[in-house]
Amino acid sequence: MRLFTPEEKQFIQKHLHQAPATLMLQASRYPQLPVLELVQQIQARQKAAAKLPLWAQNPDVVFPVTLSVEQSSSEPTAAFKASLVTGNLLIDLTGGFGVDSLYFAKQFKQVIHLEQNQELQEIAAYNFNLLGAANIQSMHATAEAFLQHYTGKADVIYLDPARRGGRDEKLHLLQDCEPDVLHLLPLLFEKAEAVLLKTSPMLDIDQALEQLKHVHQLWVVAVQNEVKEVLYLLQANAPAPDAVKRNAVNLSPQAASQTLSFTRTAEEAASPVYTDPQEFVYEPNAAILKAGAFRFLSQQYKLNKLHPNSHLYTSAVLVPDFPGRSFRCTAVCRYNKKELMRYLPAKKANVTVRNFPEPVAEIRRKTGIKEGGDIYLFFTTDMHQKPVVLVCSKV
């Protein structure tokens, strides 16, 4: 790892808001500087500005290659997962750039940060010192090698297995990621009282529960309605998969987070009422849809459903605290261009499909509806198995 000189840091700060490609074209103006390295730092800081402001706002912080920044947790998700566990010692087996480790260090007396890429480990250790995290011990090691030789016992082991293959393809199955948590499970329980595992949002939750077998609780975490990660807390004495508590969490910097908790047993026991669209229509947030709280949500908020597979809800009276988006339904019409255009004087709308045979792009191609405006169209299937379009405005 190389530290930057005062002149190099000054260059980075001066050009922080310029396009990296433009700076590279101007490299000959700065023959005394390693412009490529500095532009890489600028590019990383630009990507980290919203995601990692604590790092991006410190002029002395060193960034790794951009991919490591892209793959790291955001500060909101790191802070959330750190709030789930506490104790004396946490071991972060897949430490990377160290974002999660830094937030875990606020909850634990000591954190051990492991990273198998030596340069990345050195950068993380340097930044920990800059950011005042004196209780983090950073080590260059693989998860497997460390566990084989570690003789202590931690309160929690955290791991976020790498989800990119040798050809840079994205992976999501537990057995395909590195390290293979299924293979490591016996060793993990030897070395810790609990394991906190982060997985791909693409991984099927029921499949993960069946494979892991020791899940005590899980969280589907979305940020501003985009699912970012699924977290599994593993302990030796865990309930049956159907009794595992599932928490659907939607984080937002502008508002209080939304959380819905349920079990598979509660979901299957719920009996929704199906009706035609009423005055208000509701679309659950992405975390709820991923967690699978379709019937339970209807029961919890006393809402009717439009169809078993549409996952849109309706009521005659507004439910003010619904965890998702709420709309006033002004009309229900057929999927017919001429009929639709009666409600679209500007020929534009926000289009969503839920349990509908055609994707958004095809609908726009056939109807000529442009993106934008204040009208929301939900193309869906009603309780009579008929395709319909709900014409809505936001509440």
Side-chain angles (χ1 to χ4, degrees):
M1 178 194 135
R2 187 179 79 79
L3 297 179
F4 296 97
T5 66
E7 184 183 11
E8 291 168 345
K9 290 180 187 178
Q10 186 179 26
F11 178 92
I12 292 169
Q13 293 301 312
K14 182 179 178 181
H15 299 92
L16 202 51
H17 304 293
Q18 285 187 243
T22 302
L23 284 172
M24 287 306 302
L25 291 173
Q26 299 171 352
S28 59
R29 297 183 187 179
Y30 311 97
Q32 78 284 9
L33 294 174
V35 174
L36 176 59
E37 279 187 76
L38 303 183
V39 168
Q40 287 174 339
Q41 289 293 305
I42 290 168
Q43 192 171 24
R45 284 178 176 274
Q46 289 174 348
K47 289 183 177 292
K51 184 178 181 179
L52 304 171
L54 185 64
W55 280 257
Q57 291 167 12
N58 189 318
D60 295 321
V61 160
V62 175
F63 283 87
V65 293
T66 307
L67 184 61
S68 296
V69 176
E70 291 174 350
Q71 291 179 338
S72 72
S73 297
S74 66
E75 287 188 41
T77 58
F80 175 78
K81 69 169 69 76
S83 73
L84 303 177
V85 287
T86 188
N88 290 314
L89 173 62
L90 177 139
I91 302 171
D92 185 347
L93 286 181
T94 51
F97 188 44
V99 177
D100 289 323
S101 288
L102 187 78
Y103 278 88
F104 283 130
K106 302 175 189 292
Q107 300 290 113
F108 287 80
K109 291 182 180 178
Q110 184 187 5
V111 169
I112 297 176
H113 164 273
L114 302 177
E115 174 49 47
Q116 62 182 354
N117 180 306
Q118 186 167 1
E119 183 180 12
L120 182 56
Q121 180 268 321
E122 290 173 356
I123 288 172
Y126 173 77
N127 290 334
F128 291 148
N129 185 56
L130 275 179
L131 299 171
N135 60 331
I136 301 178
Q137 179 186 1
S138 183
M139 301 173 62
H140 170 228
T142 64
E144 295 88 343
F146 176 86
L147 289 173
Q148 291 290 348
H149 296 96
Y150 183 66
T151 57
K153 190 155 189 176
D155 295 288
V156 179
I157 286 177
Y158 170 70
L159 70 163
D160 173 14
R163 296 188 290 275
R164 283 189 183 269
R167 294 185 295 276
D168 205 35
E169 72 274 23
K170 290 185 178 181
L171 308 171
H172 62 270
L173 295 177
L174 293 174
Q175 60 269 28
D176 293 339
C177 299
E178 184 185 345
D180 178 353
V181 65
L182 299 178
H183 175 73
L184 282 180
L185 268 179
L187 194 54
L188 292 171
F189 281 121
E190 277 183 35
K191 308 297 183 178
E193 298 294 337
V195 176
L196 185 61
L197 170 68
K198 172 182 168 181
T199 72
S200 163
M202 299 298 293
L203 180 64
D204 180 78
I205 289 175
D206 291 320
Q207 180 184 356
L209 290 173
E210 203 60 47
Q211 288 184 301
L212 292 167
K213 301 188 187 304
H214 300 284
V215 178
H216 178 72
Q217 193 170 174
L218 70 87
W219 294 263
V220 178
V221 184
V223 178
Q224 293 183 288
N225 206 32
E226 181 182 353
V227 176
K228 295 294 186 181
E229 55 195 48
V230 183
L231 303 167
Y232 298 83
L233 182 64
L234 281 60
Q235 294 178 323
N237 298 317
D242 284 353
V244 171
K245 186 177 179 181
R246 304 182 183 204
N247 305 281
V249 182
N250 185 43
L251 305 176
S252 174
Q254 290 86 26
S257 63
Q258 300 170 327
T259 301
L260 180 72
S261 300
F262 69 104
T263 65
R264 182 50 125 182
T265 299
E267 167 67 13
E268 292 176 352
S271 299
V273 174
Y274 298 97
T275 66
D276 290 319
Q278 296 173 288
E279 184 170 357
F280 297 98
V281 170
Y282 308 87
E283 181 189 36
N285 66 49
I288 289 172
L289 293 173
K290 172 63 183 177
F294 308 126
R295 298 153 62 93
F296 179 81
L297 180 67
S298 177
Q299 175 181 288
Q300 188 75 359
Y301 285 87
K302 298 179 173 58
L303 296 170
N304 298 329
K305 285 197 78 182
L306 301 186
H307 183 279
N309 300 321
S310 292
H311 310 322
L312 289 171
Y313 303 79
T314 190
S315 68
V317 179
L318 179 66
V319 174
D321 58 345
F322 180 78
R325 300 195 298 173
S326 303
F327 302 86
R328 187 181 297 274
C329 184
T330 55
V332 180
C333 65
R334 295 174 300 148
Y335 178 24
N336 175 280
K337 180 179 178 179
K338 186 175 180 180
E339 189 173 344
L340 279 170
M341 286 305 169
R342 294 177 193 166
Y343 303 99
L344 305 175
K347 297 184 178 179
K348 61 182 181 179
N350 303 280
V351 176
T352 298
V353 296
R354 288 272 180 249
N355 188 28
F356 197 77
E358 289 184 13
V360 172
E362 183 66 9
I363 290 170
R364 289 197 184 279
R365 187 188 69 80
K366 285 184 176 180
T367 62
I369 298 172
K370 297 177 182 177
E371 177 68 37
D374 299 323
I375 297 172
Y376 292 77
L377 300 180
F378 287 92
F379 289 72
T380 189
T381 301
D382 67 11
M383 62 179 292
H384 310 291
Q385 307 298 328
K386 293 181 179 179
V388 294
V389 184
L390 313 185
V391 183
C392 300
S393 59
K394 260 192 173 181
V395 173

